[in-house]
Amino acid sequence: MRIKAVGLCLAILIGAGLCAAQNAPAPVVRQPDYSTVYCSGFVTDQKVPTDMHVISGEQSNYKITFSQGEYIYIDRGMNQGVRVGDEFSVLRVTKDDVKIKWFKWQNELLRKMGTAYEDEGRIKVVSVHAKVSIAKVVFACNYLQRGDIIRPFEERPAPPFKDPAAFDHFAPPSGKSVAMVVTMSNFQEAGGANQTAYVNLGSAQGVKVGEYFRFFRHQGTRSETVNLERDFQYKLFGFGSTPQRYGWNDLPREVLGEGIVLNVSRNSSTVLITLSTVPVYSGDYAEIE
């Protein structure tokens, strides 16, 4: 009887284990959230049509900007095929008003990449007139204003993140294409995790959404705007020097972090920095992992 009881207990326990395994929750897939994907902006050398605009909105006698939940007016209506329920993205051309380059080739590289566009939000048409329509701002990255560009809404993929524990701080060169971090969102010159960088490789060079870039830099380069001591990689007056000279390419590169591609244009990619050990600067390098 004791043996039968033990066997029965084992059967119950095994059965419970199987049930638990069958009812176990599916692994959670980590991926960028909606705001990250749809507020990341992009740089493109392809012409973005500018035939639709925000022209005004409710309470325009005192409002200069419009935000989520408010109603705006657009310059297309029933005569142009607009219907209630249509959804559009709102964009704005953005420029660096400071105009001080952070590294030697920044302006030239940015011109070759194209025009920078800022994502402002998403709107949904709620009322249509002959030549104009009223739309509700259903999602806003930033404020909307008169003259903003309107384009038909397109879904963007939210690629899965990889495990950050797999990051290799001393990774050797991948041997794949290398780009530069040309600028950051809002033309910031430094960024870290959860910020957006724009690099000068795109679909023409085989880059795809969901791929990862590894950021790195070399010691001894002096292309930055900041004043750096010559040959600081092996000597610094008053703080020692080595018996022999070392060039920037004689020393190990410094791996800074990595990021995932959210958006790809012909000669540029929008990269979300997912991990950084130190700030990533414009002028740092980025290689496809």
Side-chain angles (χ1 to χ4, degrees), residues 8-18:
L8 181 60
C9 288
L10 286 173
I12 292 172
L13 289 172
I14 292 171
L18 289 173

Side-chain angles (χ1 to χ4, degrees), residues 64-68 90 92 118-121 137 140-146 148:
I64 58 175
T65 62
F66 305 94
S67 57
Q68 190 161 321
V90 182
R92 187 183 307 147
E118 192 175 76
D119 291 310
E120 306 302 346
V137 182
C141 304
N142 204 341
Y143 61 86
L144 281 65
Q145 66 183 19
R146 298 162 176 82
D148 282 344

Side-chain angles (χ1 to χ4, degrees), residues 1 10-11 35 45 98 125 132 151 156 162 165 176 187 193 212 218 221 230 242-243 269 277 286:
M1 291 295 292
L10 286 173
S35 294
D45 61 352
V98 178
V125 176
V132 299
R151 300 304 309 145
R156 294 180 183 176
K162 69 178 188 179
K176 298 182 180 179
F187 294 99
Y212 265 78
H218 296 285
T221 59
R230 186 178 298 277
T242 60
S269 296
T277 57

Side-chain angles (χ1 to χ4, degrees), residues 70-129:
E70 296 183 332
Y71 295 98
I72 62 170
Y73 306 149
I74 65 175
D75 59 357
R76 288 293 182 273
M78 191 181 305
N79 293 352
Q80 293 78 33
V82 177
R83 298 291 181 264
V84 171
D86 287 350
E87 295 192 64
F88 298 93
S89 297
V90 182
L91 312 173
R92 187 183 307 147
V93 173
T94 181
K95 297 180 180 179
D96 186 4
D97 294 327
V98 178
K99 297 180 181 179
I100 297 176
K101 59 184 180 182
W102 182 258
F103 65 97
K104 187 174 180 181
W105 312 280
Q106 187 175 31
N107 293 344
E108 292 81 358
L109 291 176
L110 189 56
R111 277 197 296 270
K112 290 180 179 179
M113 289 166 65
T115 302
Y117 290 86
E118 192 175 76
D119 291 310
E120 306 302 346
R122 179 177 177 179
I123 61 176
K124 185 174 183 178
V125 176
V126 296
S127 180
V128 178
H129 299 255

Side-chain angles (χ1 to χ4, degrees), residues 194-241:
N194 300 318
Q195 291 183 280
T196 304
Y198 304 114
V199 304
N200 63 325
L201 281 180
S203 58
Q205 295 78 37
V207 180
K208 299 179 179 62
V209 171
E211 287 189 305
Y212 265 78
F213 274 95
R214 180 182 296 117
F215 304 110
F216 65 94
R217 71 170 64 113
H218 296 285
Q219 295 184 15
T221 59
R222 301 176 71 241
S223 62
E224 298 89 344
T225 301
V226 294
N227 187 29
L228 297 171
E229 286 291 326
R230 186 178 298 277
D231 298 325
F232 66 86
Q233 69 274 21
Y234 73 97
K235 67 177 182 179
L236 194 61
F237 180 76
F239 291 91
S241 64

Side-chain angles (χ1 to χ4, degrees), residues 229-265:
E229 286 291 326
R230 186 178 298 277
D231 298 325
F232 66 86
Q233 69 274 21
Y234 73 97
K235 67 177 182 179
L236 194 61
F237 180 76
F239 291 91
S241 64
T242 60
Q244 67 184 73
R245 183 185 187 280
Y246 288 91
W248 65 266
N249 54 349
D250 294 324
L251 299 178
R253 66 181 188 169
E254 185 178 352
V255 177
L256 313 171
E258 60 187 8
I260 190 170
V261 177
L262 296 181
N263 203 336
V264 178
S265 299

